[in-house]
Amino acid sequence: MAVSPLIPPPPHEAKVTDTPKKTEVNSTERLLHNQNTIPFFHSTNEREVTEQLNDDVRHKYIKDKRLGEGTYAVVFLGHLRTDPSSFVAIKKIKVNAEYKDGLSMDAIREVKYLQELSHPNIIALHDVFSSKDQNLNLVLEYLPRGDLEMLIKDTDIHYGAADVKAWMGMLARGVWFCHENFVLHRDIKPNNLLIAADGEVKLADFGLARSFADPYLNMTHQVITRWYRPPELLFGARQYSGVVDVWSMGMVFAELLLRVPFIVGNTDLDQIAKICEAFGTPTEDNWPGVTRLPNYLPADANHTLPVQGRDFFLRQFPTAGPVGADLLMSMCTLDPKKRSTACQVLQHGWWSSEPKPTDKKNLPRKTDGIKKMGADLTRRGGDFDDNTTFKNAARQLKFTVARD
């Protein structure tokens, strides 16, 4: 797998094995196999072996207290049977009769992509096993420090530009690794960015993730929590790339700087209106092809706003500095073809400018994030808990400044 340019590659221990020899089968067995009248191997033996392997994995762990429960899953604190000090989070996904085999596509996606992706900034999936009640259990990395949303909302926690740079660097590396392996996350937001005991930020909740190797394959536009959803998806685009995640990263960047969500729409139409108000009105001049998107609504000629330039970003986000404002602008470009990719984000000059990113062990943190981790892991992909107005966190953003 690819390794982030900002992380030294781990040593490889590849082993060369001989190609297994093909097993000879007689013509009768081959015919029966091709006609699907009997399985090629004895299904009873296979099932016994599978059940034994599952029992072995399940026996490795002991479930402790419940950390959180939702309609989708229950999360327990657990530990290795052989080492009580080695903690894990065990996410039990509930069987749902609405779905074939009782599992939603969200659960299947989460297992699939977490098994494929291994990176310091992506939550680790240690094991998977089924319990006696047929529920699927995911044994996940234990991340006791909560999530970035907790830090943003807590007015008692003070952080600066160097801390934001460290957090955004971890997020950018995780997203870059996903894209290098042809995976779109499609639900990046602060409460999907969990924090490990050592301060490392981990990208979690892959329930809406999918592969994007085929550039001509239609995909749903109804993904990404609304406040972090890019304009092309709001306009109904069915073919898109990794820059949809980059827009979400930009919204997280802005939220870290302002300590409030940057663009908060009550509906999809309201979200589009607020994006236009903040960044300018999408037109064929600044975004060729936008009028051909399925849900595009022609703008009122008397209320067309120009696309904002660097000065606007510097005024709204002074903490970022000129170089940081330039990076944020590149992540929030309306036209997805002109928006920075995750790789271009990592190559930006902001990372090498002053101040240097805070070392992860010195980052601000909360000590009571275990329950928040449990709540985060019980949600389905795309769920958003808007139970706070952020009124005590920081000033609300106003777009009343002079426009470029």
Side-chain angles (χ1 to χ4, degrees), residues 231-232 235 247 272-273 275-277 279-291 293 296-300 303-307 333-336:
E232 62 266 32
F235 286 141
W247 175 279
I272 291 172
I275 287 175
C276 294
E277 186 182 356
F279 299 123
T281 306
T283 65
E284 283 293 327
D285 292 333
N286 57 50
W287 181 351
V290 65
T291 59
L293 293 175
Y296 177 79
L297 295 175
D300 185 342
H303 294 87
T304 299
L305 301 173
V307 173
T333 303
L334 293 173
D335 184 352

PDB file of all heavy atoms in Angstrom, residues 231-232 235 247 272-273 275-277 279-291 293 296-300 303-307 333-336:
ATOM      1  N   PRO A 231     -20.424  21.599  -3.118  1.00  0.00           N
ATOM      2  CA  PRO A 231     -21.529  22.073  -3.970  1.00  0.00           C
ATOM      3  C   PRO A 231     -21.881  21.127  -5.109  1.00  0.00           C
ATOM      4  O   PRO A 231     -23.045  21.048  -5.493  1.00  0.00           O
ATOM      5  CB  PRO A 231     -21.017  23.422  -4.486  1.00  0.00           C
ATOM      6  CG  PRO A 231     -19.535  23.390  -4.302  1.00  0.00           C
ATOM      7  CD  PRO A 231     -19.304  22.546  -3.101  1.00  0.00           C
ATOM      8  N   GLU A 232     -20.903  20.398  -5.658  1.00  0.00           N
ATOM      9  CA  GLU A 232     -21.228  19.503  -6.772  1.00  0.00           C
ATOM     10  C   GLU A 232     -22.194  18.406  -6.346  1.00  0.00           C
ATOM     11  O   GLU A 232     -23.062  17.985  -7.137  1.00  0.00           O
ATOM     12  CB  GLU A 232     -19.965  18.901  -7.404  1.00  0.00           C
ATOM     13  CG  GLU A 232     -19.120  18.036  -6.503  1.00  0.00           C
ATOM     14  CD  GLU A 232     -18.003  18.800  -5.825  1.00  0.00           C
ATOM     15  OE1 GLU A 232     -18.195  20.000  -5.535  1.00  0.00           O
ATOM     16  OE2 GLU A 232     -16.944  18.206  -5.572  1.00  0.00           O
ATOM     17  N   PHE A 235     -25.623  19.869  -5.993  1.00  0.00           N
ATOM     18  CA  PHE A 235     -26.215  20.059  -7.322  1.00  0.00           C
ATOM     19  C   PHE A 235     -26.513  18.730  -8.011  1.00  0.00           C
ATOM     20  O   PHE A 235     -26.937  18.715  -9.160  1.00  0.00           O
ATOM     21  CB  PHE A 235     -25.288  20.901  -8.199  1.00  0.00           C
ATOM     22  CG  PHE A 235     -25.258  22.361  -7.834  1.00  0.00           C
ATOM     23  CD1 PHE A 235     -24.070  23.078  -7.878  1.00  0.00           C
ATOM     24  CD2 PHE A 235     -26.412  23.021  -7.466  1.00  0.00           C
ATOM     25  CE1 PHE A 235     -24.033  24.413  -7.562  1.00  0.00           C
ATOM     26  CE2 PHE A 235     -26.386  24.377  -7.134  1.00  0.00           C
ATOM     27  CZ  PHE A 235     -25.205  25.070  -7.177  1.00  0.00           C
ATOM     28  N   TRP A 247     -13.102  19.103   0.017  1.00  0.00           N
ATOM     29  CA  TRP A 247     -14.024  20.173   0.443  1.00  0.00           C
ATOM     30  C   TRP A 247     -14.379  19.976   1.925  1.00  0.00           C
ATOM     31  O   TRP A 247     -14.360  20.938   2.700  1.00  0.00           O
ATOM     32  CB  TRP A 247     -15.289  20.160  -0.411  1.00  0.00           C
ATOM     33  CG  TRP A 247     -16.319  21.156   0.040  1.00  0.00           C
ATOM     34  CD1 TRP A 247     -17.220  21.016   1.059  1.00  0.00           C
ATOM     35  CD2 TRP A 247     -16.547  22.477  -0.496  1.00  0.00           C
ATOM     36  NE1 TRP A 247     -17.995  22.137   1.181  1.00  0.00           N
ATOM     37  CE2 TRP A 247     -17.603  23.045   0.246  1.00  0.00           C
ATOM     38  CE3 TRP A 247     -15.967  23.203  -1.542  1.00  0.00           C
ATOM     39  CZ2 TRP A 247     -18.093  24.333  -0.036  1.00  0.00           C
ATOM     40  CZ3 TRP A 247     -16.453  24.479  -1.804  1.00  0.00           C
ATOM     41  CH2 TRP A 247     -17.498  25.030  -1.059  1.00  0.00           C
ATOM     42  N   ILE A 272     -26.845  25.377  -0.157  1.00  0.00           N
ATOM     43  CA  ILE A 272     -26.364  25.954  -1.416  1.00  0.00           C
ATOM     44  C   ILE A 272     -26.365  27.475  -1.331  1.00  0.00           C
ATOM     45  O   ILE A 272     -25.395  28.136  -1.733  1.00  0.00           O
ATOM     46  CB  ILE A 272     -27.227  25.475  -2.594  1.00  0.00           C
ATOM     47  CG1 ILE A 272     -27.012  23.977  -2.848  1.00  0.00           C
ATOM     48  CG2 ILE A 272     -26.902  26.276  -3.860  1.00  0.00           C
ATOM     49  CD1 ILE A 272     -27.963  23.396  -3.871  1.00  0.00           C
ATOM     50  N   ALA A 273     -27.447  28.033  -0.786  1.00  0.00           N
ATOM     51  CA  ALA A 273     -27.542  29.492  -0.678  1.00  0.00           C
ATOM     52  C   ALA A 273     -26.427  30.052   0.197  1.00  0.00           C
ATOM     53  O   ALA A 273     -25.814  31.083  -0.139  1.00  0.00           O
ATOM     54  CB  ALA A 273     -28.912  29.880  -0.112  1.00  0.00           C
ATOM     55  N   ILE A 275     -23.479  28.626   0.795  1.00  0.00           N
ATOM     56  CA  ILE A 275     -22.207  28.466   0.089  1.00  0.00           C
ATOM     57  C   ILE A 275     -22.024  29.602  -0.913  1.00  0.00           C
ATOM     58  O   ILE A 275     -20.935  30.191  -1.018  1.00  0.00           O
ATOM     59  CB  ILE A 275     -22.152  27.097  -0.616  1.00  0.00           C
ATOM     60  CG1 ILE A 275     -21.973  25.975   0.413  1.00  0.00           C
ATOM     61  CG2 ILE A 275     -20.995  27.048  -1.625  1.00  0.00           C
ATOM     62  CD1 ILE A 275     -22.039  24.582  -0.174  1.00  0.00           C
ATOM     63  N   CYS A 276     -23.081  29.935  -1.648  1.00  0.00           N
ATOM     64  CA  CYS A 276     -23.007  31.050  -2.608  1.00  0.00           C
ATOM     65  C   CYS A 276     -22.725  32.360  -1.892  1.00  0.00           C
ATOM     66  O   CYS A 276     -21.934  33.190  -2.367  1.00  0.00           O
ATOM     67  CB  CYS A 276     -24.309  31.144  -3.403  1.00  0.00           C
ATOM     68  SG  CYS A 276     -24.640  29.742  -4.494  1.00  0.00           S
ATOM     69  N   GLU A 277     -23.369  32.544  -0.750  1.00  0.00           N
ATOM     70  CA  GLU A 277     -23.168  33.766   0.021  1.00  0.00           C
ATOM     71  C   GLU A 277     -21.736  33.881   0.518  1.00  0.00           C
ATOM     72  O   GLU A 277     -21.156  34.975   0.566  1.00  0.00           O
ATOM     73  CB  GLU A 277     -24.141  33.783   1.209  1.00  0.00           C
ATOM     74  CG  GLU A 277     -24.134  35.072   2.006  1.00  0.00           C
ATOM     75  CD  GLU A 277     -25.076  35.024   3.186  1.00  0.00           C
ATOM     76  OE1 GLU A 277     -25.796  34.019   3.344  1.00  0.00           O
ATOM     77  OE2 GLU A 277     -25.082  36.002   3.962  1.00  0.00           O
ATOM     78  N   PHE A 279     -18.864  32.061  -0.732  1.00  0.00           N
ATOM     79  CA  PHE A 279     -17.783  31.923  -1.702  1.00  0.00           C
ATOM     80  C   PHE A 279     -18.063  32.547  -3.064  1.00  0.00           C
ATOM     81  O   PHE A 279     -17.141  32.716  -3.858  1.00  0.00           O
ATOM     82  CB  PHE A 279     -17.475  30.431  -1.909  1.00  0.00           C
ATOM     83  CG  PHE A 279     -17.016  29.739  -0.664  1.00  0.00           C
ATOM     84  CD1 PHE A 279     -17.704  28.629  -0.184  1.00  0.00           C
ATOM     85  CD2 PHE A 279     -15.914  30.178   0.041  1.00  0.00           C
ATOM     86  CE1 PHE A 279     -17.293  27.980   0.966  1.00  0.00           C
ATOM     87  CE2 PHE A 279     -15.499  29.539   1.191  1.00  0.00           C
ATOM     88  CZ  PHE A 279     -16.189  28.434   1.668  1.00  0.00           C
ATOM     89  N   GLY A 280     -19.319  32.845  -3.343  1.00  0.00           N
ATOM     90  CA  GLY A 280     -19.665  33.374  -4.648  1.00  0.00           C
ATOM     91  C   GLY A 280     -20.657  32.467  -5.355  1.00  0.00           C
ATOM     92  O   GLY A 280     -20.852  31.310  -4.980  1.00  0.00           O
ATOM     93  N   THR A 281     -21.288  33.006  -6.396  1.00  0.00           N
ATOM     94  CA  THR A 281     -22.314  32.263  -7.133  1.00  0.00           C
ATOM     95  C   THR A 281     -21.683  31.423  -8.232  1.00  0.00           C
ATOM     96  O   THR A 281     -20.957  31.956  -9.079  1.00  0.00           O
ATOM     97  CB  THR A 281     -23.328  33.230  -7.755  1.00  0.00           C
ATOM     98  OG1 THR A 281     -23.859  34.081  -6.733  1.00  0.00           O
ATOM     99  CG2 THR A 281     -24.460  32.467  -8.422  1.00  0.00           C
ATOM    100  N   PRO A 282     -21.942  30.112  -8.258  1.00  0.00           N
ATOM    101  CA  PRO A 282     -21.416  29.277  -9.353  1.00  0.00           C
ATOM    102  C   PRO A 282     -22.082  29.634 -10.684  1.00  0.00           C
ATOM    103  O   PRO A 282     -23.311  29.674 -10.779  1.00  0.00           O
ATOM    104  CB  PRO A 282     -21.798  27.858  -8.922  1.00  0.00           C
ATOM    105  CG  PRO A 282     -22.089  27.940  -7.457  1.00  0.00           C
ATOM    106  CD  PRO A 282     -22.640  29.312  -7.241  1.00  0.00           C
ATOM    107  N   THR A 283     -21.272  29.887 -11.676  1.00  0.00           N
ATOM    108  CA  THR A 283     -21.763  30.178 -13.025  1.00  0.00           C
ATOM    109  C   THR A 283     -20.892  29.436 -14.029  1.00  0.00           C
ATOM    110  O   THR A 283     -19.853  28.883 -13.676  1.00  0.00           O
ATOM    111  CB  THR A 283     -21.706  31.689 -13.318  1.00  0.00           C
ATOM    112  OG1 THR A 283     -20.326  32.116 -13.316  1.00  0.00           O
ATOM    113  CG2 THR A 283     -22.483  32.496 -12.286  1.00  0.00           C
ATOM    114  N   GLU A 284     -21.295  29.466 -15.282  1.00  0.00           N
ATOM    115  CA  GLU A 284     -20.489  28.838 -16.334  1.00  0.00           C
ATOM    116  C   GLU A 284     -19.137  29.514 -16.474  1.00  0.00           C
ATOM    117  O   GLU A 284     -18.171  28.900 -16.931  1.00  0.00           O
ATOM    118  CB  GLU A 284     -21.243  28.878 -17.668  1.00  0.00           C
ATOM    119  CG  GLU A 284     -22.347  27.847 -17.793  1.00  0.00           C
ATOM    120  CD  GLU A 284     -21.814  26.424 -17.850  1.00  0.00           C
ATOM    121  OE1 GLU A 284     -20.707  26.208 -18.391  1.00  0.00           O
ATOM    122  OE2 GLU A 284     -22.491  25.503 -17.330  1.00  0.00           O
ATOM    123  N   ASP A 285     -19.034  30.760 -16.076  1.00  0.00           N
ATOM    124  CA  ASP A 285     -17.756  31.478 -16.182  1.00  0.00           C
ATOM    125  C   ASP A 285     -16.735  30.966 -15.165  1.00  0.00           C
ATOM    126  O   ASP A 285     -15.559  30.792 -15.503  1.00  0.00           O
ATOM    127  CB  ASP A 285     -17.975  32.987 -15.974  1.00  0.00           C
ATOM    128  CG  ASP A 285     -18.755  33.612 -17.124  1.00  0.00           C
ATOM    129  OD1 ASP A 285     -18.681  33.072 -18.253  1.00  0.00           O
ATOM    130  OD2 ASP A 285     -19.446  34.615 -16.883  1.00  0.00           O
ATOM    131  N   ASN A 286     -17.167  30.756 -13.930  1.00  0.00           N
ATOM    132  CA  ASN A 286     -16.213  30.320 -12.904  1.00  0.00           C
ATOM    133  C   ASN A 286     -16.239  28.812 -12.656  1.00  0.00           C
ATOM    134  O   ASN A 286     -15.387  28.283 -11.948  1.00  0.00           O
ATOM    135  CB  ASN A 286     -16.460  31.070 -11.578  1.00  0.00           C
ATOM    136  CG  ASN A 286     -17.878  30.911 -11.048  1.00  0.00           C
ATOM    137  OD1 ASN A 286     -18.401  29.813 -10.947  1.00  0.00           O
ATOM    138  ND2 ASN A 286     -18.506  32.039 -10.712  1.00  0.00           N
ATOM    139  N   TRP A 287     -17.231  28.123 -13.255  1.00  0.00           N
ATOM    140  CA  TRP A 287     -17.345  26.675 -13.089  1.00  0.00           C
ATOM    141  C   TRP A 287     -17.968  26.093 -14.359  1.00  0.00           C
ATOM    142  O   TRP A 287     -19.171  25.829 -14.401  1.00  0.00           O
ATOM    143  CB  TRP A 287     -18.194  26.370 -11.859  1.00  0.00           C
ATOM    144  CG  TRP A 287     -18.388  24.917 -11.532  1.00  0.00           C
ATOM    145  CD1 TRP A 287     -18.054  23.824 -12.274  1.00  0.00           C
ATOM    146  CD2 TRP A 287     -19.021  24.401 -10.343  1.00  0.00           C
ATOM    147  NE1 TRP A 287     -18.419  22.671 -11.652  1.00  0.00           N
ATOM    148  CE2 TRP A 287     -19.008  22.989 -10.454  1.00  0.00           C
ATOM    149  CE3 TRP A 287     -19.569  24.988  -9.211  1.00  0.00           C
ATOM    150  CZ2 TRP A 287     -19.552  22.168  -9.463  1.00  0.00           C
ATOM    151  CZ3 TRP A 287     -20.102  24.171  -8.232  1.00  0.00           C
ATOM    152  CH2 TRP A 287     -20.089  22.779  -8.352  1.00  0.00           C
ATOM    153  N   PRO A 288     -17.195  25.886 -15.395  1.00  0.00           N
ATOM    154  CA  PRO A 288     -17.739  25.361 -16.656  1.00  0.00           C
ATOM    155  C   PRO A 288     -18.447  24.026 -16.454  1.00  0.00           C
ATOM    156  O   PRO A 288     -17.897  23.105 -15.849  1.00  0.00           O
ATOM    157  CB  PRO A 288     -16.495  25.194 -17.538  1.00  0.00           C
ATOM    158  CG  PRO A 288     -15.504  26.154 -16.974  1.00  0.00           C
ATOM    159  CD  PRO A 288     -15.756  26.169 -15.495  1.00  0.00           C
ATOM    160  N   GLY A 289     -19.678  23.944 -16.930  1.00  0.00           N
ATOM    161  CA  GLY A 289     -20.453  22.712 -16.826  1.00  0.00           C
ATOM    162  C   GLY A 289     -21.395  22.657 -15.650  1.00  0.00           C
ATOM    163  O   GLY A 289     -22.205  21.731 -15.549  1.00  0.00           O
ATOM    164  N   VAL A 290     -21.348  23.639 -14.748  1.00  0.00           N
ATOM    165  CA  VAL A 290     -22.183  23.581 -13.552  1.00  0.00           C
ATOM    166  C   VAL A 290     -23.667  23.614 -13.894  1.00  0.00           C
ATOM    167  O   VAL A 290     -24.491  22.983 -13.221  1.00  0.00           O
ATOM    168  CB  VAL A 290     -21.828  24.727 -12.578  1.00  0.00           C
ATOM    169  CG1 VAL A 290     -22.153  26.086 -13.179  1.00  0.00           C
ATOM    170  CG2 VAL A 290     -22.541  24.543 -11.239  1.00  0.00           C
ATOM    171  N   THR A 291     -24.047  24.325 -14.944  1.00  0.00           N
ATOM    172  CA  THR A 291     -25.473  24.439 -15.283  1.00  0.00           C
ATOM    173  C   THR A 291     -26.050  23.136 -15.811  1.00  0.00           C
ATOM    174  O   THR A 291     -27.274  22.999 -15.902  1.00  0.00           O
ATOM    175  CB  THR A 291     -25.688  25.553 -16.315  1.00  0.00           C
ATOM    176  OG1 THR A 291     -24.918  25.258 -17.495  1.00  0.00           O
ATOM    177  CG2 THR A 291     -25.259  26.910 -15.772  1.00  0.00           C
ATOM    178  N   LEU A 293     -25.537  20.224 -14.299  1.00  0.00           N
ATOM    179  CA  LEU A 293     -25.759  19.303 -13.183  1.00  0.00           C
ATOM    180  C   LEU A 293     -27.255  19.193 -12.889  1.00  0.00           C
ATOM    181  O   LEU A 293     -27.991  20.175 -13.022  1.00  0.00           O
ATOM    182  CB  LEU A 293     -24.998  19.782 -11.947  1.00  0.00           C
ATOM    183  CG  LEU A 293     -23.467  19.717 -12.055  1.00  0.00           C
ATOM    184  CD1 LEU A 293     -22.809  20.319 -10.827  1.00  0.00           C
ATOM    185  CD2 LEU A 293     -23.001  18.277 -12.263  1.00  0.00           C
ATOM    186  N   TYR A 296     -29.008  21.782 -10.471  1.00  0.00           N
ATOM    187  CA  TYR A 296     -28.576  23.179 -10.541  1.00  0.00           C
ATOM    188  C   TYR A 296     -29.782  24.094 -10.711  1.00  0.00           C
ATOM    189  O   TYR A 296     -30.676  23.828 -11.530  1.00  0.00           O
ATOM    190  CB  TYR A 296     -27.601  23.388 -11.694  1.00  0.00           C
ATOM    191  CG  TYR A 296     -27.187  24.829 -11.863  1.00  0.00           C
ATOM    192  CD1 TYR A 296     -26.221  25.392 -11.040  1.00  0.00           C
ATOM    193  CD2 TYR A 296     -27.766  25.633 -12.843  1.00  0.00           C
ATOM    194  CE1 TYR A 296     -25.840  26.716 -11.178  1.00  0.00           C
ATOM    195  CE2 TYR A 296     -27.391  26.958 -12.997  1.00  0.00           C
ATOM    196  CZ  TYR A 296     -26.427  27.495 -12.154  1.00  0.00           C
ATOM    197  OH  TYR A 296     -26.062  28.808 -12.300  1.00  0.00           O
ATOM    198  N   LEU A 297     -29.799  25.161  -9.933  1.00  0.00           N
ATOM    199  CA  LEU A 297     -30.858  26.168 -10.053  1.00  0.00           C
ATOM    200  C   LEU A 297     -30.237  27.459 -10.551  1.00  0.00           C
ATOM    201  O   LEU A 297     -29.289  27.969  -9.942  1.00  0.00           O
ATOM    202  CB  LEU A 297     -31.523  26.405  -8.696  1.00  0.00           C
ATOM    203  CG  LEU A 297     -32.304  25.221  -8.100  1.00  0.00           C
ATOM    204  CD1 LEU A 297     -32.803  25.568  -6.703  1.00  0.00           C
ATOM    205  CD2 LEU A 297     -33.471  24.858  -9.006  1.00  0.00           C
ATOM    206  N   PRO A 298     -30.752  28.009 -11.660  1.00  0.00           N
ATOM    207  CA  PRO A 298     -30.187  29.256 -12.191  1.00  0.00           C
ATOM    208  C   PRO A 298     -30.242  30.364 -11.148  1.00  0.00           C
ATOM    209  O   PRO A 298     -31.246  30.529 -10.450  1.00  0.00           O
ATOM    210  CB  PRO A 298     -31.085  29.562 -13.395  1.00  0.00           C
ATOM    211  CG  PRO A 298     -31.709  28.252 -13.758  1.00  0.00           C
ATOM    212  CD  PRO A 298     -31.861  27.497 -12.477  1.00  0.00           C
ATOM    213  N   ALA A 299     -29.165  31.086 -11.042  1.00  0.00           N
ATOM    214  CA  ALA A 299     -29.099  32.179 -10.074  1.00  0.00           C
ATOM    215  C   ALA A 299     -29.824  33.408 -10.604  1.00  0.00           C
ATOM    216  O   ALA A 299     -29.905  33.634 -11.813  1.00  0.00           O
ATOM    217  CB  ALA A 299     -27.638  32.522  -9.776  1.00  0.00           C
ATOM    218  N   ASP A 300     -30.356  34.174  -9.687  1.00  0.00           N
ATOM    219  CA  ASP A 300     -30.991  35.444 -10.042  1.00  0.00           C
ATOM    220  C   ASP A 300     -29.901  36.389 -10.536  1.00  0.00           C
ATOM    221  O   ASP A 300     -28.925  36.653  -9.832  1.00  0.00           O
ATOM    222  CB  ASP A 300     -31.683  36.013  -8.810  1.00  0.00           C
ATOM    223  CG  ASP A 300     -32.478  37.282  -9.119  1.00  0.00           C
ATOM    224  OD1 ASP A 300     -32.228  37.905 -10.174  1.00  0.00           O
ATOM    225  OD2 ASP A 300     -33.344  37.645  -8.305  1.00  0.00           O
ATOM    226  N   HIS A 303     -28.723  39.012  -8.251  1.00  0.00           N
ATOM    227  CA  HIS A 303     -28.123  38.643  -6.965  1.00  0.00           C
ATOM    228  C   HIS A 303     -26.929  37.715  -7.144  1.00  0.00           C
ATOM    229  O   HIS A 303     -26.648  36.882  -6.293  1.00  0.00           O
ATOM    230  CB  HIS A 303     -29.168  37.986  -6.060  1.00  0.00           C
ATOM    231  CG  HIS A 303     -30.278  38.900  -5.644  1.00  0.00           C
ATOM    232  ND1 HIS A 303     -31.410  39.082  -6.396  1.00  0.00           N
ATOM    233  CD2 HIS A 303     -30.405  39.701  -4.554  1.00  0.00           C
ATOM    234  CE1 HIS A 303     -32.215  39.941  -5.785  1.00  0.00           C
ATOM    235  NE2 HIS A 303     -31.631  40.336  -4.672  1.00  0.00           N
ATOM    236  N   THR A 304     -26.241  37.847  -8.258  1.00  0.00           N
ATOM    237  CA  THR A 304     -25.049  37.041  -8.495  1.00  0.00           C
ATOM    238  C   THR A 304     -23.861  37.647  -7.755  1.00  0.00           C
ATOM    239  O   THR A 304     -23.577  38.837  -7.910  1.00  0.00           O
ATOM    240  CB  THR A 304     -24.743  36.963 -10.001  1.00  0.00           C
ATOM    241  OG1 THR A 304     -25.844  36.356 -10.670  1.00  0.00           O
ATOM    242  CG2 THR A 304     -23.496  36.132 -10.254  1.00  0.00           C
ATOM    243  N   LEU A 305     -23.179  36.830  -6.962  1.00  0.00           N
ATOM    244  CA  LEU A 305     -22.042  37.299  -6.174  1.00  0.00           C
ATOM    245  C   LEU A 305     -20.745  36.821  -6.797  1.00  0.00           C
ATOM    246  O   LEU A 305     -20.652  35.685  -7.261  1.00  0.00           O
ATOM    247  CB  LEU A 305     -22.144  36.776  -4.736  1.00  0.00           C
ATOM    248  CG  LEU A 305     -23.402  37.182  -3.966  1.00  0.00           C
ATOM    249  CD1 LEU A 305     -23.457  36.452  -2.630  1.00  0.00           C
ATOM    250  CD2 LEU A 305     -23.423  38.687  -3.750  1.00  0.00           C
ATOM    251  N   PRO A 306     -19.730  37.680  -6.829  1.00  0.00           N
ATOM    252  CA  PRO A 306     -18.443  37.272  -7.411  1.00  0.00           C
ATOM    253  C   PRO A 306     -17.745  36.231  -6.543  1.00  0.00           C
ATOM    254  O   PRO A 306     -17.961  36.159  -5.329  1.00  0.00           O
ATOM    255  CB  PRO A 306     -17.641  38.580  -7.442  1.00  0.00           C
ATOM    256  CG  PRO A 306     -18.231  39.402  -6.335  1.00  0.00           C
ATOM    257  CD  PRO A 306     -19.688  39.051  -6.289  1.00  0.00           C
ATOM    258  N   VAL A 307     -16.914  35.400  -7.179  1.00  0.00           N
ATOM    259  CA  VAL A 307     -16.140  34.406  -6.435  1.00  0.00           C
ATOM    260  C   VAL A 307     -15.124  35.122  -5.555  1.00  0.00           C
ATOM    261  O   VAL A 307     -14.444  36.058  -5.995  1.00  0.00           O
ATOM    262  CB  VAL A 307     -15.424  33.440  -7.407  1.00  0.00           C
ATOM    263  CG1 VAL A 307     -14.482  32.521  -6.643  1.00  0.00           C
ATOM    264  CG2 VAL A 307     -16.452  32.625  -8.176  1.00  0.00           C
ATOM    265  N   THR A 333     -12.488  25.697  -3.342  1.00  0.00           N
ATOM    266  CA  THR A 333     -12.783  26.174  -4.685  1.00  0.00           C
ATOM    267  C   THR A 333     -14.085  25.551  -5.175  1.00  0.00           C
ATOM    268  O   THR A 333     -14.296  24.338  -5.036  1.00  0.00           O
ATOM    269  CB  THR A 333     -11.636  25.813  -5.645  1.00  0.00           C
ATOM    270  OG1 THR A 333     -10.415  26.370  -5.138  1.00  0.00           O
ATOM    271  CG2 THR A 333     -11.894  26.329  -7.046  1.00  0.00           C
ATOM    272  N   LEU A 334     -14.966  26.371  -5.732  1.00  0.00           N
ATOM    273  CA  LEU A 334     -16.275  25.879  -6.157  1.00  0.00           C
ATOM    274  C   LEU A 334     -16.150  24.813  -7.237  1.00  0.00           C
ATOM    275  O   LEU A 334     -16.769  23.751  -7.159  1.00  0.00           O
ATOM    276  CB  LEU A 334     -17.133  27.044  -6.655  1.00  0.00           C
ATOM    277  CG  LEU A 334     -17.562  28.071  -5.602  1.00  0.00           C
ATOM    278  CD1 LEU A 334     -18.255  29.257  -6.285  1.00  0.00           C
ATOM    279  CD2 LEU A 334     -18.488  27.436  -4.577  1.00  0.00           C
ATOM    280  N   ASP A 335     -15.367  25.083  -8.270  1.00  0.00           N
ATOM    281  CA  ASP A 335     -15.207  24.153  -9.381  1.00  0.00           C
ATOM    282  C   ASP A 335     -14.342  22.986  -8.915  1.00  0.00           C
ATOM    283  O   ASP A 335     -13.160  23.159  -8.595  1.00  0.00           O
ATOM    284  CB  ASP A 335     -14.542  24.864 -10.561  1.00  0.00           C
ATOM    285  CG  ASP A 335     -14.425  23.974 -11.797  1.00  0.00           C
ATOM    286  OD1 ASP A 335     -14.716  22.762 -11.694  1.00  0.00           O
ATOM    287  OD2 ASP A 335     -14.052  24.491 -12.863  1.00  0.00           O
ATOM    288  N   PRO A 336     -14.892  21.767  -8.860  1.00  0.00           N
ATOM    289  CA  PRO A 336     -14.095  20.626  -8.367  1.00  0.00           C
ATOM    290  C   PRO A 336     -12.854  20.341  -9.195  1.00  0.00           C
ATOM    291  O   PRO A 336     -11.867  19.804  -8.672  1.00  0.00           O
ATOM    292  CB  PRO A 336     -15.090  19.457  -8.415  1.00  0.00           C
ATOM    293  CG  PRO A 336     -16.182  19.883  -9.330  1.00  0.00           C
ATOM    294  CD  PRO A 336     -16.262  21.367  -9.220  1.00  0.00           C
TER     295      PRO A 336
END
